[in-house]
Amino acid sequence: SSAASDVYKRQEQDIIPQIGEIVNEYRTTSNLPVAILITGDVVWDTMKFLPRVKRAFESLEVPVYAVIGNHDHNRKQSRNQRRAEERFEETFGARNQSFILGETLFLTFDNIEFRPNKTYYEGIDVEQLMWLSEVMENTPKDMRVAACMHALATDRNTNILKPYAKPVAAIVGERELHFISGHHHNHGTYDVSPSVIEHNVAQVSGNLWFAPICSDGTPRGVFCIEERDGEWSWHHRLLGKSPSDVLIAWNEGYVEGNEEYVVVKAIGWDSKWVVEWFENGESRGEMEQIELLDPDYLNYVERDAGYKKKYVERLRRSAHPHKHYFRLKRTIPDSDVRIVATDRFGRTYETVVN
């Protein structure tokens, strides 16, 4: 359809060139090799566009890997799981691949299982677990493993692995294990145990291909994992912005229900972050954490979207509260406020509110 074609045209002309800027930045400022991993839903039920999207990413001249998402299955073949995946595998290769980047073994999985009635459930079949067992037999005990799949391996409310992901962790054993997933169009980092963590990656093109911002308030961007001297660090990098652009602050009166407060959004936040504030240079301690529906996302949906009603309704429905918001109440009218966020790696990000 022309709507689908427009989506991919925007990817080619807008999204992928901005990803290319980040790739080139890494190339020019470090000697680190760069690769791209797409965490599924490469296309939106339009199988014929798979090669086109792959070519667009390959124009960045770095290796491109992908896992299969629910929208990458050919729904016309939903009665036959393997045939539904043929077009994807013709483009990106087998559903289960293993490759080493730096000192980390990356593994791709298919955790979307379609039923004949075109619905699907999340799971990893026995065939894939047997493949994983074979791979692990030949993998050093101290090697980090990244298990890449479309749907979350972790329950976001409890930080406990879902039943189908537990055998994956058991087979990987004592090794450091990072699940990398997509599917929910939100950003999240979930510490399952000291050696197991999940990175749920927000949609690079914004929510549902339309909005420039995801429904949890994460703006368009890419999740950057850096391996230096064998150690991992990571951050969510906004398209067209510098790595230090992490804090978005709203003055009093802007955020509904918090009119008396300055509210800040910490992009890429996880539970190991600390967000503090200073008033006229004096420390006021940590800000109060709150859950919110993102004001910018709601503003976009209600005022700027300009789509057909069914799309606007879908965007509206998908909004849900997130925890990456903090608020403060000035003790001195019109004081100068400085907000400082420190992430789990000790990196600091600042913004000033007048």
Side-chain angles (χ1 to χ4, degrees), residues 269-326:
W269 170 89
D270 66 47
S271 60
K272 301 281 175 75
W273 285 43
V274 175
V275 183
E276 304 162 285
W277 68 291
F278 298 79
E279 188 173 31
N280 290 345
E282 284 190 28
S283 171
R284 296 283 188 247
E286 290 190 37
M287 292 178 67
E288 180 189 359
Q289 187 174 12
I290 54 174
E291 279 194 53
L292 276 186
L293 287 170
D294 190 76
D296 284 348
Y297 180 78
L298 295 176
N299 195 42
Y300 173 79
V301 172
E302 300 305 334
R303 297 182 191 173
D304 300 335
Y307 304 128
K308 291 177 181 173
K309 258 187 182 171
K310 65 174 182 178
Y311 292 139
V312 171
E313 188 48 46
R314 201 172 161 194
L315 287 169
R316 192 181 284 130
R317 257 198 335 268
S318 67
H320 68 270
H322 198 280
K323 295 178 180 175
H324 55 197
Y325 303 94
F326 299 81

Side-chain angles (χ1 to χ4, degrees), residues 110-177:
D110 171 10
N111 67 348
I112 301 294
E113 293 287 322
F114 265 84
R115 296 186 176 97
N117 65 357
K118 298 192 179 182
T119 61
Y120 63 87
Y121 62 95
E122 299 168 15
I124 292 176
D125 56 39
V126 173
E127 184 185 320
Q128 296 184 81
L129 295 176
M130 289 172 66
W131 167 77
L132 174 62
S133 296
E134 284 180 32
V135 173
M136 285 298 101
E137 281 175 19
N138 300 304
T139 301
K141 295 279 185 230
D142 59 350
M143 189 165 222
R144 180 189 296 108
V145 174
C148 312
M149 54 192 66
H150 183 55
L152 268 163
T154 309
D155 182 314
R156 292 185 288 182
N157 298 316
T158 61
N159 283 25
I160 295 171
L161 289 180
K162 294 179 179 178
Y164 77 80
K166 287 180 178 176
V168 173
I171 295 166
V172 170
E174 299 298 307
R175 299 172 183 88
E176 182 184 333
L177 172 60

Side-chain angles (χ1 to χ4, degrees), residues 335-354:
S335 57
D336 290 331
V337 168
R338 183 166 61 95
I339 298 166
V340 181
T342 306
D343 70 13
R344 66 167 68 209
F345 304 107
R347 298 175 300 208
T348 58
Y349 312 94
E350 295 192 14
T351 191
V352 173
V353 180
N354 298 318

Side-chain angles (χ1 to χ4, degrees), residues 167-187:
V168 173
I171 295 166
V172 170
E174 299 298 307
R175 299 172 183 88
E176 182 184 333
L177 172 60
H178 294 253
F179 287 97
I180 303 174
S181 57
H183 192 45
H184 291 277
H185 308 184
N186 295 164
H187 173 89

